Amino acid sequence: GIYAEGDLTIVLEGSSTVTGVQDPNGDSQSIRVSGNLTIQGGGSLTAQGANTTSDGSSYGIFVIGSFTQQSGSVTASGGNVSGNQTSEGLYVYGSTVTVQGGTLTATGGTTGSGSYGISANGSVTVSDATVTATGGSGYESYGLYIDSSSPSVTLSGSGSLTARSGS
């Protein structure tokens, strides 16, 4: 996996895959960024969280700050969780999700708790991009889950957002 203590910019060239492993705390994040994550370039990235046992959540991409995708193709998937923890394709704890261009596909795995394609604590903005967010099978399943006192979703340009729940 990839772990960044501060802000991180990923420039996509060609095709890349990052696979998480279950850490000593039981969680899995294929990409974990303590600051803001920016994705650029014309390539593709697959970020796959590992399957976890009962004490761990699984995340494709886990961001403490904000997430900005300017271009490229990103697929982020949470792994299957055997217990009652969450599985999330893209989890943005601190701030906004902004997809300005390219394609983002985010999918939650199977779990006894919540499964979310995209889980955010701020606003979600999609401009000239295609975003597909799908929750997996779980106690709760949401394609797009926004935990905020003032949630907002903004679509502009040729942007599209498809959000589907699982079972």
Side-chain angles (χ1 to χ4, degrees):
I2 296 173
Y3 177 78
E5 189 60 43
D7 295 345
L8 176 67
T9 298
I10 296 175
V11 179
L12 301 177
E13 296 178 359
S15 178
S16 303
T17 299
V18 179
T19 303
V21 296
Q22 191 167 3
D23 66 26
N25 296 325
D27 292 334
S28 172
Q29 303 111 7
S30 72
I31 299 174
R32 180 186 173 96
V33 180
S34 291
N36 301 316
L37 174 60
T38 302
I39 295 178
Q40 306 170 336
S44 67
L45 170 67
T46 299
Q48 175 65 58
N51 294 339
T52 62
T53 57
S54 59
D55 293 332
S57 294
S58 181
Y59 307 91
I61 299 175
F62 183 103
V63 181
I64 298 294
S66 65
F67 174 87
T68 303
Q69 180 179 341
Q70 297 174 345
S71 57
S73 175
V74 175
T75 301
S77 302
N80 296 328
V81 176
S82 64
N84 290 322
Q85 300 296 325
T86 59
S87 177
E88 304 175 35
L90 172 63
Y91 176 65
V92 180
Y93 175 78
S95 187
T96 59
V97 174
T98 305
V99 187
Q100 299 167 336
T103 302
L104 171 63
T105 304
T107 307
T110 298
T111 178
S113 182
S115 180
Y116 312 109
I118 297 173
S119 176
N121 286 335
S123 63
V124 175
T125 302
V126 179
S127 42
D128 295 316
T130 302
V131 176
T132 304
T134 306
S137 177
Y139 178 74
E140 293 181 335
S141 177
Y142 298 103
L144 176 60
Y145 178 80
I146 303 175
D147 186 8
S148 170
S149 58
S150 57
S152 72
V153 176
T154 304
L155 296 172
S156 65
S158 61
S160 72
L161 170 64
T162 303
R164 297 184 183 99
S165 60
S167 56

